[in-house]
Amino acid sequence: MAKAGSNLNLDGQGNPVWLLLELTYRCPLKCAFCSNPTDLAAHPDELTTAEWKSVIRDARDMGAMQIGFSGGEPTLRKDLEELVAEANALGYYTNLITSGIGLTRKRLEDLKQAGLRHIQLGFQSSNPETAHWLAGVDCYDKKLRIAREIKDLGFPMVLNVPISSLNIHQVPEIIALAADIGVEYLELANVQYYNWALVNRDQLMPTREALAMAEAQVADARKQLGDRMTIFFVIPDYYEGRPKACMNGWGSIHLTIAPDGMVLPCSQARTLPGLHFPNVRDHDLGWIWHQSESFNRYRGDDWMKEPCRSCTEKEHDFGGCRCQAMLLTGDAANADPACSKSPHHHLVREAVARAGATRQDHRMLIARDAGWHPTEG
Amino acid sequence: MADSNNHNSLPRFRIAPVFMFRWEESQQAFVLMYPEGIVKLNTTAGEILNRCNGLNTLSDIVLELSELFSEQPDFIEPRVRQFLEVCHGKGWIQSES
């Protein structure tokens, strides 16, 4: 996921530290903010159990320590327990990133037995109706039940709630619900506008006023809750004026494997035109990471143009997100337009203004689905 | 390892269950891993946490560290104590009496 970068205070010394396996693009939900590709059906050929195990071993040999099992919905893979067991035996810290749909008490027990360390549960809202609008299916009760089962089995848990215009006013209730479930970490991650979320950007983007209020509510809750729960509030970069230090830099510590074996610096990158990402079925993982053209294209800072090249912040934010630069400016080597120094920053300001002028109505959301094609240019 | 008979009531330290602590060959360091995060520890920090195994008290850890680094226990003790307090504050370790 195009997050601001995971919480890592070490570098990989040239090797990957974080391995994200997108086991499948299949998912029972139809979230309007999904970060999977919009041409879901174009990549049906998933790696086999043996192929995934080989990837897990190869990345561990290269130095990867954290592994995320994601998707789509990873629990749709019947071999999830087997893959978790393999990763755990190799010494990874194992993370499951799930919607909760597809989990049962029995499967949670089996995953615990396999050595799963942590579960990140995606949650849409503290309100069942809002959750239905955002996820495209009625899933609130099921998710809440599974959240309580996860805690009952003693898993550390992150409740991840993507924040948009539809649920930003519910932040205090969401925090109260998370505290009631007893999660260790609540991540209120403002939706980032890629893929399905970009399709729905005008509908999903909250106003600056709503954001300021939510931030104040989070600050209050932190004071009240103290050590009981850690709340992360991931600011939307469209409003920040500063770009996120995306993935800690291209090909720096993050390695993502798509369901069909395509190897990516981040899960959004497959949509970048002009780059041919290698596949683990054709090439050695070490060669892909160290030698392939696609992993070296935006590594370091030789590729940078102005204003990034001479910018004093380039070692902190790496010029922001290459995918966002591509999506909004047409050239991935441009500065991320979320940056106020970018000559394209007006595109972000215009998008904010357009969303602000849009009559936001949940019935206008386009649900993630196979076979969707844009009707506008 | 400490003789447990003569300090039964003293707190013993262990790594909190959310965290996974181990030696990482590729980093040549002890690491502490947790949901979506990793901390790479320097040599002394790693050696202290490596002794937070649910059995050792502060004095046990001080004694072993003083041998390992050839320092006087009086010199080591305040430093270990301070680091354990930091670790406790971060939620990395728990103490049990």
Side-chain angles (χ1 to χ4, degrees), chain A residues 30-32 127-137 166 362-363 365:
Chain A
K30 298 171 181 294
C31 295
N127 176 286
E129 193 177 26
T130 312
H132 192 157
W133 296 340
L134 281 163
V137 296
L166 274 82
H362 68 88
R363 288 169 299 186
L365 288 174

Side-chain angles (χ1 to χ4, degrees), chain A residues 27 41 63 159 207 213 239 268 274 279 304 339 365 377:
Chain A
C27 185
L159 198 69
T207 63
M213 181 180 285
Y239 281 105
Q268 313 304 327
N279 195 296
M304 284 182 182
C339 178
L365 288 174

Side-chain angles (χ1 to χ4, degrees), chain B residues 23-84:
Chain B
W23 177 258
E24 171 61 26
E25 193 61 30
S26 69
Q27 297 277 337
Q28 287 297 299
F30 283 106
V31 292
L32 193 63
M33 297 193 276
Y34 55 99
E36 301 195 5
I38 304 175
V39 177
K40 178 180 172 178
L41 298 147
N42 68 24
T43 308
T44 43
E47 292 296 346
I48 294 170
L49 282 181
N50 194 34
R51 286 161 176 77
C52 294
N53 55 6
L55 301 171
N56 288 325
T57 65
L58 172 64
S59 57
D60 298 330
I61 297 172
V62 168
L63 205 62
E64 290 194 21
L65 270 274
S66 68
E67 283 171 18
L68 186 66
F69 295 112
S70 306
E71 293 279 1
Q72 289 300 312
D74 289 353
F75 174 81
I76 296 257
E77 201 268 353
R79 289 163 175 79
V80 173
R81 181 189 296 272
Q82 190 189 17
F83 180 67
L84 289 176

Side-chain angles (χ1 to χ4, degrees), chain A residues 3 9 60 66 91 120, chain B residues 22 24 34 36-38 40:
Chain A
K3 289 170 40 159
N9 46 11
R60 182 74 192 99
Q66 288 266 2
Q120 183 192 115
Chain B
R22 62 168 176 75
E24 171 61 26
Y34 55 99
E36 301 195 5
I38 304 175
K40 178 180 172 178

Side-chain angles (χ1 to χ4, degrees), chain A residues 50-83:
Chain A
E51 286 171 325
W52 281 121
K53 282 187 177 175
S54 159
V55 167
I56 291 170
R57 280 193 298 272
D58 291 349
R60 182 74 192 99
D61 287 343
M62 292 163 68
M65 288 179 262
Q66 288 266 2
I67 188 167
F69 295 93
S70 183
E73 175 47 55
T75 59
L76 290 177
R77 289 280 305 212
K78 304 300 178 214
D79 53 1
L80 176 63
E81 289 82 346
E82 195 179 338
L83 299 178

Side-chain angles (χ1 to χ4, degrees), chain A residues 18-152:
Chain A
W18 233 113
L19 175 65
L20 183 72
L21 306 183
E22 296 185 313
L23 296 182
T24 178
Y25 285 141
R26 292 173 289 140
C27 185
L29 303 190
K30 298 171 181 294
C31 295
F33 52 80
C34 182
S35 60
N36 280 171
T38 50
D39 59 344
L40 290 163
H43 321 286
D45 188 18
E46 293 175 11
L47 293 186
T48 64
T49 307
E51 286 171 325
W52 281 121
K53 282 187 177 175
S54 159
V55 167
I56 291 170
R57 280 193 298 272
D58 291 349
R60 182 74 192 99
D61 287 343
M62 292 163 68
M65 288 179 262
Q66 288 266 2
I67 188 167
F69 295 93
S70 183
E73 175 47 55
T75 59
L76 290 177
R77 289 280 305 212
K78 304 300 178 214
D79 53 1
L80 176 63
E81 289 82 346
E82 195 179 338
L83 299 178
V84 167
E86 176 79 10
N88 183 60
L90 292 170
Y92 281 102
Y93 188 95
T94 51
N95 306 268
L96 175 65
I97 299 148
T98 176
S99 72
I101 310 298
L103 278 174
T104 58
R105 174 87 188 189
K106 169 74 167 63
R107 276 202 95 179
L108 283 170
E109 286 168 352
D110 290 349
L111 285 164
K112 184 116 198 166
Q113 185 74 29
L116 183 64
R117 298 271 170 176
H118 152 238
I119 297 179
Q120 183 192 115
L121 182 71
F123 219 79
Q124 282 76 35
S125 169
S126 52
N127 176 286
E129 193 177 26
T130 312
H132 192 157
W133 296 340
L134 281 163
V137 296
D138 186 9
C139 58
Y140 179 85
D141 292 342
K142 162 84 181 160
K143 277 173 172 278
L144 191 57
R145 271 201 305 279
I146 214 68
R148 295 197 193 281
E149 293 281 11
I150 290 167
K151 282 320 296 173
D152 193 47

